[in-house]
Amino acid sequence: MSARGLITVAATALALVGGGSPVHAAQKGTLPAVVGDLNDAQLIELRDQNGQVLLQGTLKTSSNKPKETEREATLSSPSGQKAEGEFEIEIERKDGVVIKEEIELSVEHLPAMTQCELFIDGRHVTTLTTSKSGKAELKLQRKSTAGK
């Protein structure tokens, strides 16, 4: 096996196994600008590569304070499958200006090792792959220097 192949296998194994924690496919990164204003976001969808909706939910504001807004959605399968998940948005403000936005996704009971795409209001956010046990976690954020 080539060095590149060995590195790919090792990286994949580390991503799937993790450091002694439960086996989840996990991803962290930057929230793309195409997502738009998370205060107005409504529909969350997790789709397979064929565009079939695996999970969906509607966002509701759970807390809205001057310095922080929290929004949540419980995700369920539109076809009645066992799959389920949670989606959360946290928006931090300083002097009325958004300084940080973060989304978190946690899903389970999905098909194993399946590549899925996350959409917010029909806009593609990112692609993730479930673990061998059908779980996945995602955390994306974007920060602004405005208001600092």
Side-chain angles (χ1 to χ4, degrees):
M1 181 180 292
S2 70
R4 176 180 279 170
L6 187 58
I7 291 170
T8 301
V9 170
T12 302
L14 285 173
L16 294 175
V17 174
S21 60
V23 178
H24 297 338
Q27 180 179 340
K28 292 184 179 183
T30 303
L31 185 63
V34 70
V35 172
D37 186 356
L38 293 175
N39 282 302
D40 297 332
Q42 294 297 311
L43 180 64
I44 306 302
E45 293 179 313
L46 193 65
R47 303 178 191 168
D48 67 14
Q49 290 296 302
N50 297 321
Q52 178 183 351
V53 177
L54 301 173
L55 291 171
Q56 65 183 17
T58 303
L59 283 161
K60 294 179 176 47
T61 302
S62 57
S63 174
N64 193 8
K65 300 176 183 172
K67 291 186 177 185
E68 182 178 83
T69 298
E70 293 180 6
R71 306 188 70 215
E72 300 174 348
T74 299
L75 305 178
S76 60
S77 170
S79 63
Q81 300 297 316
K82 189 177 177 182
E84 62 186 357
E86 296 290 326
F87 184 86
E88 298 177 6
I89 292 175
E90 187 175 299
I91 303 166
E92 293 180 25
R93 290 179 291 278
K94 182 177 181 182
D95 300 325
V97 177
V98 173
I99 58 170
K100 180 181 172 188
E101 297 170 287
E102 183 175 278
I103 65 169
E104 288 188 46
L105 171 73
S106 178
V107 297
E108 60 185 7
H109 306 298
L110 287 167
M113 306 302 292
T114 300
Q115 194 170 26
C116 304
E117 297 180 352
L118 175 64
F119 288 83
I120 299 177
D121 290 336
R123 292 183 294 255
H124 183 264
V125 177
T126 192
T127 302
L128 59 140
T129 304
T130 60
S131 68
K132 289 180 184 177
S133 60
K135 296 180 181 183
E137 292 181 352
L138 168 73
K139 188 174 195 177
L140 302 176
Q141 69 177 359
R142 63 182 168 202
K143 294 181 180 181
S144 171
T145 56
K148 283 192 173 183

